């Protein structure tokens, strides 16, 4: 929305009880004046251009961490703070039974010991601008597939243009406001990012799944990486032993001053996805299909992984990252459905939509961009439910679930590298790289059988791949027997096996399985795609109708992995007589550690309990409370992707890292609960304390120079 339409009315609206200033994931290049003024009223003390669009702006040292998390540069030599769970896969990739950095932690005592990470990168946002008018001219009258192709072409054109000026830059074009706006964002990616420091998992993931999405929390959820650069240009460069630490022009000042209740707090990061404009029909489908399927299928997958992980240390290391990733949104989906039901969100949305319908009728709105056909939208969602159910179960059952399914689908998709002479197709072949150390054959086979069975039991018969008839007629619906047959007869899992494009390959039962699965998924998508395109068109109108009906209010777009700002205050919440308080203390983590014999997620190394039981925490003690504060709450608006986002005080100083939301508001991706939604952050003093007293990381602390 343009600033000029907002200034006076929005300023009044933000002070109204109906609008709460802590809601919103705001883009920085067009931050409404009224929003900035409200930030100042609540305690922000810097000029607006210190947020974005100046050489020393805060946005210049906030990074996207490999596209799925956020982070912040904290030193003149390119150190980056992010969450432990954001660095989890990198830490896990370096871990072996002999050198288990996940279990034991890691500290590189010099540059040489810092560990490179394949496919890990950080992105700096350099610029963002509105290109809606240009895009709309190009996509007018085009369908979804044509629009995607046009956007890809324009993105490539703009990237080529910017690379002619600076070859290290690239541009992404993203839809905002359900496709009613388009912004072009310029990025600079650094692909050489090395692991520098991590605490043991016992502290970096303290509380595990027991405490995940819960408050109170005591998790020291951080890890430290370093950006490396070309020694001649200080710019991005692929990994090389000759690269040197990156030297940013500015970096975040790390504060030892702490915070108090109701102090201003701000997060800047890269939230992944929200659906705040989603219709009541869409929320119903999210509840009944997306979330419910995810919970049901992952109940099975998580139990199987844990059974094998508990038996063997090598298997634990192999599957730990997969387990954590699966468990995170398994629990999130449960919590979201609980919140949807407890606040009657579907009913609330339906009532709001009735207001929009009335507004359209009373104003006699004829604008086709806002004239929502609610009856059509309801019917479209209803008609898409079966295919949506099948698509969700297909993804949960077969996509990256077992090594067999992964290899079978890669073969079917033709996504493997082809070897052999280019002019002799009969001599060309595909071969899988040996990755036997990354998976457990017994677990893989049991997982495949369980997922085949579960898929069949929950989707309409018309969405079953054709091999299910074989399972029925030749194996008596015995999924374990069928799976054992495929594993024993297929060459897919055999080391060094070459697959030529011939009849022998096409008879392989694993290859046949992959082809059948791919055909099945494409059929599901074909059934779903036309309905989805029509649904998206009506949802786009609904979003624009909401914006136009409330023209006197500023509106932020749903999260889409682009940089956003959210702001609010430090503070707790009340629910059912429970007073959350706004911080946790060292005493509270020791109390949980004492329960370690009963609760596995509270088990820690003796040194950790000793450190957290200290009588004097020295400079890490909070000056107001006299306590060692561990984690704290703000009402900043965050979601997945915000993990690792820096949390700043009113002076722009780093006071913590965002790492979670609270169980009582897990529907916040589709509805921000102004009373209950909280961002959980790890206090930066807790981070520094463990770097100091456990890691003895003097060189890093000197480099960071906290004040």
């Amino acid at each position: 929305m343009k600033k000029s339409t907002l200034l006076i009315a929005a300023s009044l609206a933000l002070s109204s009880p109906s609008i709460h200033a802590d809601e919103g994931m705001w883009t920085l290049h067009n931050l409404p004046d009224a929003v900035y003024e409200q930030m100042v009223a609540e305690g922000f003390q810097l000029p607006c251009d210190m947020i974005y669009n100046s050489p020393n702006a805060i946005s210049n040292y906030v990074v996207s961490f490999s596209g799925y998390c956020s982070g912040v540069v904290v030193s003149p030599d390119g150190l980056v703070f992010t969450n432990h769970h954001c660095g989890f896969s990198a830490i896990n990739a370096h871990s072996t039974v002999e050198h288990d950095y996940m279990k034991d932690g890691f500290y590189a005592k010099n540059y040489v010991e810092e560990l490179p990470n394949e496919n890990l990168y950080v992105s700096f946002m350099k610029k963002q601008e509105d290109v809606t008018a240009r895009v709309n001219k190009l996509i007018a009258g085009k369908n979804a597939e044509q629009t995607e192709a046009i956007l890809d072409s324009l993105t490539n054109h703009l990237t080529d243009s910017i690379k002619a000026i600076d070859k290290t830059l690239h541009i992404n074009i993203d839809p905002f406001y359900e496709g009613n706006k388009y912004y072009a964002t310029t990025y600079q990616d650094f692909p050489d990012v090395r692991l520098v420091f991590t605490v043991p998992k016992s502290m970096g993931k303290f509380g595990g799944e027991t405490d995940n999405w819960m408050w109170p929390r005591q998790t020291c959820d951080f890890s430290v990486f370093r950006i490396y650069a070309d020694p001649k240009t200080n710019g991005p460069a692929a990994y090389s032993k000759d690269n040197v630490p990156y030297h940013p022009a500015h970096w975040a000042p790390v504060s030892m001053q702490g915070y108090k209740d109701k102090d201003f707090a701000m997060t800047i990061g890269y939230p992944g996805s929200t659906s705040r404009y989603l219709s009541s029909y869409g929320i119903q489908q999210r509840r009944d299909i997306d979330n419910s399927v995810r919970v049901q299928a992952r109940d099975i997958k998580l139990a199987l992984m844990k059974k094998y992980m508990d038996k063997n240390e090598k298997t634990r290391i192999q599957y730990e990252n997969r387990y954590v990733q699966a468990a995170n949104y398994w629990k999130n989906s449960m919590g979201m459905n609980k919140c949807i039901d407890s606040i009657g969100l579907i009913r609330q949305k339906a009532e709001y939509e009735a207001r929009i319908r009335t507004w359209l009728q009373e104003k006699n709105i004829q604008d086709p961009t806002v004239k929502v056909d609610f009856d059509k939208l309801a019917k479209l969602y209803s008609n898409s439910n079966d295919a949506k159910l099948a698509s969700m179960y297909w993804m949960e059952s077969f996509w990256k679930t077992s090594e067999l399914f992964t290899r079978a689908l890669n073969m079917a998709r033709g996504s493997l590298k082809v070897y052999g002479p280019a002019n002799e197709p009969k001599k060309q072949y595909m071969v899988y790289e040996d990755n036997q150390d990354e998976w457990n054959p017994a677990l893989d086979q049991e997982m495949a059988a369980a997922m085949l069975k579960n898929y069949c039991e929950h989707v309409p018969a018309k969405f079953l791949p054709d091999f299910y008839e074989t399972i029925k007629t030749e194996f008596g619906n015995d999924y374990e027997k069928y799976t054992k047959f495929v594993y024993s007869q297929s060459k897919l899992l055999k080391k060094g096996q070459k697959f030529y494009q011939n009849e022998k390959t096409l008879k392989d039962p694993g290859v046949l399985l992959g082809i059948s699965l791919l055909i099945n998924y494409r059929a599901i998508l074909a059934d779903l795609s036309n309905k989805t395109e029509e649904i998206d068109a009506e949802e786009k109108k609904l979003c624009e109708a909401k914006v136009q009906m409330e023209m006197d209010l500023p509106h932020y777009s749903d999260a889409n992995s682009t940089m956003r700002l959210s702001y609010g205050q430090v503070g707790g919440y009340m629910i059912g007589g429970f007073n959350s308080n706004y911080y946790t203390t060292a005493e509270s983590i020791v109390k949980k550690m004492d329960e370690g014999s009963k609760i596995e997620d509270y088990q820690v190394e003796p040194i950790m309990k000793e450190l957290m039981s200290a009588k004097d925490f020295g400079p890490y003690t909070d000056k107001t409370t006299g306590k060692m504060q561990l984690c704290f709450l703000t009402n900043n608006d965050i979601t997945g992707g915000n993990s690792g986002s820096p949390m700043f005080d009113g002076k722009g100083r780093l006071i913590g890292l965002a790492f979670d939301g609270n169980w009582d508001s897990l529907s916040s991706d589709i509805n921000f609960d102004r009373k209950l939604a909280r961002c959980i952050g790890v206090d930066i003093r807790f981070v520094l304390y463990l770097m100091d007293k456990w890691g003895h990381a003097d060189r890093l602390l000197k480099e960071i120079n906290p004040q």
Side-chain angles (χ1 to χ4, degrees):
M1 180 175 288
K2 295 181 180 178
K3 290 184 187 180
S4 59
T5 65
L6 299 171
L7 301 184
I8 299 175
S11 181
L12 294 172
L14 283 168
S15 62
S16 164
S18 63
I19 295 296
H20 207 269
D22 49 337
E23 178 181 354
M25 300 179 181
W26 303 96
T27 45
L28 278 65
H29 80 279
N30 57 353
L31 186 72
D33 291 354
V35 172
Y36 172 69
E37 289 164 8
Q38 186 66 28
M39 290 170 62
V40 171
E42 294 186 18
F44 188 61
Q45 300 177 33
L46 301 178
C48 191
D49 65 2
M50 276 293 291
I51 300 172
Y52 171 83
N53 201 31
S54 68
N56 57 344
I58 293 172
S59 62
N60 293 344
Y61 41 77
V62 178
V63 299
S64 170
F65 190 81
S66 216
Y68 53 77
C69 275
S70 304
V72 58
V73 181
V74 293
S75 85
D77 293 321
L79 281 181
V80 171
F81 279 170
T82 189
N83 287 157
H84 180 272
H85 74 262
C86 295
F88 201 92
S89 59
I91 300 164
N92 182 256
H94 288 295
S95 296
T96 63
V97 174
E98 295 76 22
H99 300 285
D100 191 347
Y101 300 136
M102 190 65 74
K103 183 178 179 181
D104 301 330
F106 171 78
Y107 169 42
K109 295 181 175 58
N110 51 57
Y111 292 141
V112 175
E113 292 182 0
E114 295 178 354
L115 300 175
N117 301 278
E118 189 176 359
N119 300 323
L120 192 65
Y121 66 93
V122 298
S123 293
F124 290 88
M125 186 185 83
K126 311 300 287 186
K127 181 183 179 182
Q128 190 170 72
E129 58 185 330
D130 190 332
V131 292
T132 305
R134 184 173 183 179
V135 170
N136 282 345
K137 287 181 182 179
L138 295 172
I139 66 173
K142 302 298 191 293
N143 62 28
E145 186 176 346
Q146 292 168 330
T147 295
E148 184 177 352
I150 290 168
L151 289 176
D152 285 345
S153 177
L154 181 59
T155 298
N156 291 337
H157 171 71
L158 293 178
T159 294
D160 289 344
S161 299
I162 198 73
K163 281 186 177 295
I165 301 170
D166 184 339
K167 65 180 181 179
T168 71
L169 303 178
H170 67 93
I171 291 177
N172 289 352
I173 298 176
D174 299 292
F176 289 72
Y177 301 97
E178 307 301 305
N180 288 294
K181 293 282 189 181
Y182 289 89
Y183 299 160
T185 311
T186 303
Y187 293 100
Q188 186 178 51
D189 297 351
F190 282 77
D192 188 355
V193 181
R194 306 186 193 181
L195 177 63
V196 178
F197 186 98
T198 177
V199 290
K201 185 185 70 170
S202 64
M203 294 299 287
K205 193 172 167 49
F206 181 82
E209 290 311 312
T210 302
D211 284 1
N212 193 17
W213 303 106
M214 298 295 184
W215 179 263
R217 292 294 284 279
Q218 296 83 10
T219 314
C220 200
D221 197 345
F222 85 102
S223 53
V224 186
F225 291 79
R226 190 187 303 279
I227 305 168
Y228 275 73
D230 185 303
K232 296 179 180 178
T233 66
N234 193 41
Y239 169 77
S240 168
K241 61 180 178 59
D242 297 324
N243 287 350
V244 298
Y246 170 61
H247 300 299
H250 301 277
W251 54 93
V254 178
S255 175
M256 292 285 286
Q257 304 308 308
Y259 44 83
K260 301 186 300 297
D261 190 25
K262 296 182 175 59
D263 273 359
F264 177 86
M266 175 177 71
T267 61
I268 298 181
Y270 289 81
S273 177
T274 55
S275 304
R276 302 269 173 84
Y277 293 95
L278 188 64
S279 67
S280 60
Y281 316 108
I283 296 173
Q284 185 81 53
Q285 191 176 83
R286 174 82 63 91
R287 179 195 181 279
D288 295 345
I289 295 179
D290 298 59
N291 291 345
S292 297
V293 169
R294 191 175 294 115
V295 171
Q296 191 278 329
R298 294 189 187 189
D299 277 342
I300 298 170
K301 292 190 286 189
L302 290 167
L304 278 175
M305 281 190 278
K306 189 153 193 335
K307 181 176 79 170
Y308 282 87
M309 289 165 66
D310 286 348
K311 291 179 182 177
N312 182 275
E313 280 295 289
K314 181 179 178 181
T315 304
R316 177 186 62 78
I317 293 171
Q318 288 172 331
Y319 285 85
E320 193 160 32
N321 188 46
R322 278 175 270 191
Y323 183 91
V324 168
Q325 289 180 346
N328 192 37
Y329 273 88
W330 163 77
K331 191 168 184 179
N332 176 279
S333 294
M334 284 191 285
M336 183 182 293
N337 277 4
K338 169 186 169 292
C339 289
I340 288 172
D341 292 343
S342 65
I343 66 173
L345 181 55
I346 296 169
R347 173 187 52 77
Q348 288 182 30
K349 272 281 187 173
E351 291 171 353
Y352 184 80
E353 287 157 11
R355 286 177 52 202
I356 294 177
R357 192 190 295 241
T358 300
W359 174 76
L360 288 168
Q361 292 170 347
E362 290 180 348
K363 298 291 184 181
N364 193 26
I365 303 294
Q366 299 303 316
D367 182 353
T369 66
V370 298
K371 201 165 180 58
V372 192
D373 188 334
F374 288 98
D375 295 334
K376 179 182 179 181
L377 188 57
K379 187 176 181 180
L380 284 167
Y381 270 109
S382 178
N383 291 343
S384 71
N385 279 339
D386 281 353
K388 181 67 172 177
L389 181 78
S391 71
M392 280 297 299
Y393 265 114
W394 194 97
M395 292 298 294
E396 287 293 331
S397 301
F398 305 125
W399 187 249
K400 297 183 179 179
T401 299
S402 76
E403 187 67 20
L404 172 68
F405 293 151
T406 297
R407 292 191 175 199
L409 286 166
N410 283 340
M411 183 71 72
R413 294 163 62 223
S415 59
L416 297 172
K417 183 179 178 180
V418 177
Y419 298 88
N423 60 345
E424 298 185 64
K426 289 185 178 180
K427 292 184 178 181
Q428 293 174 1
Y429 63 89
M430 295 178 286
V431 63
Y432 284 95
E433 295 181 8
D434 181 28
N435 66 345
Q436 296 291 320
D437 287 338
E438 297 177 9
W439 54 283
N440 179 306
L443 168 53
D444 203 74
Q445 184 171 323
E446 188 172 351
M447 182 72 76
M451 290 297 99
L452 285 167
K453 182 174 186 291
N454 194 58
Y455 182 82
C456 182
E457 290 176 346
H458 289 91
V459 303
K462 68 177 181 178
F463 293 119
L464 293 178
D466 55 15
F467 62 76
Y468 275 95
E469 185 63 25
T470 303
I471 297 174
K472 179 181 178 181
T473 57
E474 297 183 22
F475 295 89
N477 280 331
D478 188 328
Y479 294 93
E480 292 182 6
K481 187 176 179 181
Y482 169 74
T483 307
K484 184 177 181 181
F485 162 76
V486 176
Y487 274 76
S488 63
Q489 297 301 312
S490 176
K491 306 293 185 184
L492 276 178
L493 300 177
K494 301 210 180 306
K495 179 180 177 181
Q497 180 68 38
K498 295 180 180 179
F499 292 91
Y500 293 89
Q501 299 179 42
N502 56 29
E503 188 176 343
K504 184 178 179 181
T505 293
L506 291 175
K507 287 183 177 180
D508 184 289
V511 174
L512 289 172
L513 175 73
I515 293 171
S516 183
L517 283 173
L518 186 61
I519 291 172
N520 172 246
Y521 188 59
R522 286 174 175 169
I524 294 169
L525 290 186
D527 188 288
L528 192 59
S529 61
N530 289 337
K531 300 181 184 74
T532 300
E533 189 168 341
E534 290 189 82
I535 286 170
D536 290 346
E538 294 301 322
E539 292 281 7
K540 178 180 178 180
K541 293 177 188 177
L542 180 60
C543 173
E544 184 63 15
K546 171 181 167 60
V547 171
Q548 289 197 24
M549 187 177 78
E550 301 175 338
M551 287 187 69
D552 56 338
L553 304 178
H555 290 89
Y556 57 91
S557 176
D558 272 320
N560 59 357
S561 296
T562 57
M563 183 182 282
R564 304 297 181 92
L565 173 155
S566 69
Y567 70 98
Q569 305 83 32
V570 173
Y573 62 98
M574 292 285 297
I575 181 170
F578 167 70
N579 183 350
S580 71
N581 200 2
Y582 69 92
Y583 65 91
T584 56
T585 65
E587 292 90 341
S588 68
I589 195 172
V590 172
K591 187 175 180 180
K592 284 187 176 179
M593 289 173 176
D594 288 339
E595 300 179 55
S597 59
K598 300 176 184 177
I599 303 174
E600 182 181 357
D601 289 331
Y602 295 160
Q603 293 176 5
V604 298
E605 296 77 14
I607 183 60
M608 292 302 180
K609 185 173 181 181
E610 180 182 329
L611 288 173
M612 300 315 300
S613 301
K615 300 299 182 186
D616 183 1
F617 292 94
Y620 305 102
T621 305
D622 185 80
K623 297 176 177 61
T624 301
T625 65
K627 299 286 187 180
M628 172 67 183
Q629 296 179 189
L630 309 184
C631 297
F632 64 108
L633 294 175
T634 72
N635 55 11
N636 293 150
D637 192 354
I638 66 162
T639 189
N642 270 122
S643 293
S645 291
M647 303 174 74
F648 298 106
D649 65 10
K651 296 180 179 179
R653 302 176 300 190
L654 185 68
I655 57 172
L657 301 172
F659 71 87
D660 213 350
N662 58 319
W663 180 258
D664 302 299
S665 65
L666 279 187
S667 63
S668 62
D669 277 1
I670 48 180
N671 177 72
F672 188 84
D673 190 319
R674 300 182 181 98
K675 293 182 179 179
L676 297 178
R678 291 296 181 272
C679 163
I680 305 175
V682 55
D683 192 313
I684 208 66
R685 294 168 297 181
F686 187 19
V687 167
L688 298 172
Y689 177 74
L690 286 189
M691 289 180 70
D692 181 0
K693 302 303 181 182
W694 175 80
H696 306 292
D698 296 342
R699 78 175 182 111
L700 300 183
L701 294 172
K702 183 178 180 181
E703 182 181 335
I704 295 166
N705 190 28
Q707 299 293 318

